[in-house]
Amino acid sequence: MKYHCFLIKYAEIGIKGKNRYLFEDALVRQMKFALQDVGEFMIWKESGRIFVKGAEGEEFDQDEAIEALKRVFGIAAICPMIMDENKEYDHLVKTVVQYIGECYEDKHLTFKVEARRADKKFPIRSMELSAALGHELLQAYPELSVDVHHPDVMLRVEIRDQVYIYSEEIPGPGGMPVGTNGKAMLLLSGGIDSPVAGYMIAKRGVRLQATYFHAPPYTSERAKEKVVELARLVARYSGPIDLHIINFTDIQMAIYEKCPHDELTIIMRRYMMEIAEHIAKENGGLALITGESLGQVASQTIQSLAVTNEVCTLPVFRPCIGMDKQEIVDIAEKIGTFETSILPYEDCCTIFVAKHPVTKPNLNVIKKSERKLDDVIEGLLKEAYESDEVIKIR
Ligand code: ATP
Ligand code: MG
């Protein structure tokens, strides 16, 4: 079936008045972003709904367009539609019969017609029109049967400026359009969890920026490329991301030389958070995001998280916190980051991990260890900030 346009349905809860425009404008902006590689499209708002169609004379792949729209947060459903300027009844019957004929190969289905006459000049009322079209369909396809309560196919026919016909509702990702809820800094590693964490927060309408800490020569160029690729995969949902690459080698070495080895990870994580927060604040970020999950590793016990958190003044979002690894993996697979995440390039934490890291760090003890860095850390932090390489993921 060749559809003429898509009707975009979105959840309207809590978006009244001025917020509604912000929501819709952000949604349209994200739709344009998602569709930019598929072709040229017209997107317009009409009586509280959003429509998309190919620009004049533009050919595009329908499935590709649907796949792209399925990545736009805020969309509840995508309905492929037939649009027809001819509003004559006989013509309408023909179109409806042809529509069902082409869309549903096997006609052993129950159905219901729900017609709506918004154009009062159209001579047949909504109820009568539903009944009449239902009757015509039964005539054309005797295998069909009517079920008004739980039909397999709900055929909607709307008489407006034109005739609109649709029956399919392809689920969208839900959530809120990116850009309606501020900006946050994702600590993006090459692992499975942090890309998922970024996806989940972007889904709530938050624009993303990201920081990756690399430690050349202990971490390779390929490990960095992998993170850039992960950022690109997340950006398919979140829209543009500024990825900050910070050289963390010297800080890591200093910690390694001066601090107790069972505290390496926790001290390292505190500096990562401090640096990420600094960059976030300089760029309008209002929160931090990590892929931490309670109890997953020594640095993610409740005590470790408390000690890590202590350096931050911004809220820290940890959307994976209550999830099992498999649940995180399931999302990573769904959003297409898993295959990249499991590529075997070392990340900067794995090289410096102690055999027996503290699992219940004491903040005072950790702070005391950090004092051993007092005469070098200021300079090292400054150098780390200066190393910032921004990769604009578009
Ligand atoms: P992930 O799968 O996201 O790497 P993980 O289970 O390996 O997580 P950790 O290595 O303890 O867990 O890291 C916890 C979180 O800290 C990560 O989810 C990420 O948000 C952040 N993080 C860790 N390493 C880095 C890094 N090199 N650069 C940026 N952020 C990092
Ligand atoms: Mg990791």
Side-chain angles (χ1 to χ4, degrees):
M1 182 92 221
K2 189 149 168 41
Y3 297 103
H4 301 128
C5 70
F6 301 109
L7 166 65
I8 302 301
K9 293 193 171 172
Y10 53 87
E12 286 177 55
I13 302 159
I15 48 161
K16 301 204 173 72
K18 187 169 151 257
N19 285 342
R20 180 181 183 119
Y21 287 99
L22 292 175
F23 186 100
E24 288 176 343
D25 290 348
L27 187 58
V28 168
R29 198 169 51 238
Q30 287 301 113
M31 284 166 60
K32 284 186 180 150
F33 175 81
L35 288 167
Q36 67 187 359
D37 294 333
V38 183
E40 236 186 280
F41 290 85
M42 277 166 54
I43 302 177
W44 73 101
K45 299 196 268 183
E46 195 179 292
S47 41
R49 307 194 301 178
I50 294 177
F51 293 89
V52 191
K53 79 177 208 190
E56 214 55 53
E58 175 83 5
E59 286 288 327
F60 65 93
D61 185 315
Q62 280 184 178
D63 294 336
E64 261 181 51
I66 291 169
E67 279 313 307
L69 291 169
K70 276 162 108 173
R71 293 194 300 266
V72 178
F73 296 131
I75 293 183
I78 304 149
C79 310
M81 269 189 160
I82 296 293
M83 276 166 85
D84 198 340
E85 281 178 8
N86 187 337
K87 293 195 211 172
E88 281 175 25
Y89 178 71
D90 291 343
H91 177 79
L92 173 59
V93 170
K94 255 210 272 179
T95 312
V96 164
V97 168
Q98 189 193 352
Y99 176 91
I100 293 292
E102 283 185 32
C103 286
Y104 303 96
E105 221 168 280
D106 181 2
K107 304 286 185 301
H108 292 92
L109 291 168
T110 61
F111 78 103
K112 176 185 181 183
V113 180
E114 194 148 283
R116 254 181 77 192
R117 181 185 66 148
D119 171 10
K120 301 297 173 205
K121 279 187 259 155
F122 187 79
I124 310 172
R125 289 184 195 184
S126 302
M127 292 272 277
E128 289 164 41
L129 183 58
S130 299
L133 291 174
H135 178 74
E136 296 287 351
L137 284 170
L138 287 169
Q139 295 275 311
Y141 310 112
E143 312 94 289
L144 288 176
S145 56
V146 173
D147 180 346
V148 292
H149 299 296
H150 303 287
D152 299 324
V153 176
M154 173 71 96
L155 179 70
R156 298 184 195 269
V157 178
E158 299 181 0
I159 316 291
R160 296 173 178 270
D161 57 322
Q162 301 191 33
V163 177
Y164 297 85
I165 300 168
Y166 70 101
S167 60
E168 248 192 294
E169 288 201 16
I170 301 158
M176 302 179 79
V178 170
T180 54
N181 247 333
K183 188 153 75 165
M185 172 62 77
L186 170 65
L187 283 86
L188 182 62
S189 69
I192 295 169
D193 308 333
S194 43
V196 169
Y199 165 88
M200 289 176 73
I201 297 302
K203 186 174 178 196
R204 297 308 303 158
V206 177
R207 190 167 290 293
L208 298 183
Q209 38 188 181
T211 302
Y212 167 61
F213 297 94
H214 78 149
Y218 303 100
T219 62
S220 65
E221 195 59 24
R222 285 171 81 189
K224 177 175 139 186
E225 288 308 318
K226 172 179 158 180
V227 173
V228 174
E229 175 61 12
L230 285 172
R232 205 186 59 73
L233 292 170
V234 173
R236 298 186 334 143
Y237 296 88
S238 69
I241 296 176
D242 283 354
L243 172 62
H244 298 259
I245 313 262
I246 298 290
N247 188 322
F248 201 56
T249 311
D250 290 346
I251 292 181
Q252 213 167 15
M253 292 308 289
I255 301 171
Y256 191 73
E257 279 160 22
K258 296 179 194 274
C259 302
H261 282 189
D262 59 345
E263 295 170 4
L264 285 183
T265 309
I266 202 81
I267 294 174
M268 207 172 74
R269 299 221 21 85
R270 280 164 58 88
Y271 283 111
M272 281 188 182
M273 298 296 263
E274 182 179 332
I275 294 169
E277 176 167 292
H278 178 91
I279 303 171
K281 284 180 173 169
E282 288 208 321
N283 294 281
L286 301 173
L288 301 178
I289 307 165
T290 77
E292 289 160 311
S293 163
L294 199 55
Q296 202 186 77
V297 287
S299 61
Q300 295 173 25
T301 63
I302 204 164
Q303 294 86 351
S304 297
L305 292 169
V307 170
T308 311
N309 212 68
E310 195 263 348
V311 297
C312 305
T313 57
L314 291 179
V316 182
F317 298 150
R318 301 177 172 92
C320 301
I321 199 73
M323 293 165 76
D324 294 343
K325 192 73 190 185
Q326 189 56 47
E327 291 173 303
I328 303 173
V329 165
D330 288 346
I331 298 179
E333 284 182 329
K334 186 182 83 177
I335 67 175
T337 54
F338 183 71
E339 291 301 324
T340 304
S341 286
I342 59 172
L343 292 173
Y345 309 130
E346 74 293 352
D347 81 30
C348 75
C349 310
T350 52
I351 285 171
F352 292 86
V353 276
K355 283 204 184 69
H356 302 289
V358 281
T359 53
K360 293 182 185 159
N362 175 298
L363 182 59
N364 292 327
V365 175
I366 297 291
K367 280 187 164 173
K368 199 163 153 228
S369 302
E370 283 177 354
R371 263 179 241 138
K372 304 203 172 92
L373 299 166
D374 273 354
D375 31 337
V376 290
I377 195 66
E378 216 171 295
L380 291 176
L381 283 172
K382 192 163 165 276
E383 277 170 34
Y385 294 130
E386 281 165 8
S387 75
D388 188 356
E389 175 199 354
V390 185
I391 300 181
K392 291 185 180 293
I393 313 277
R394 293 293 177 268

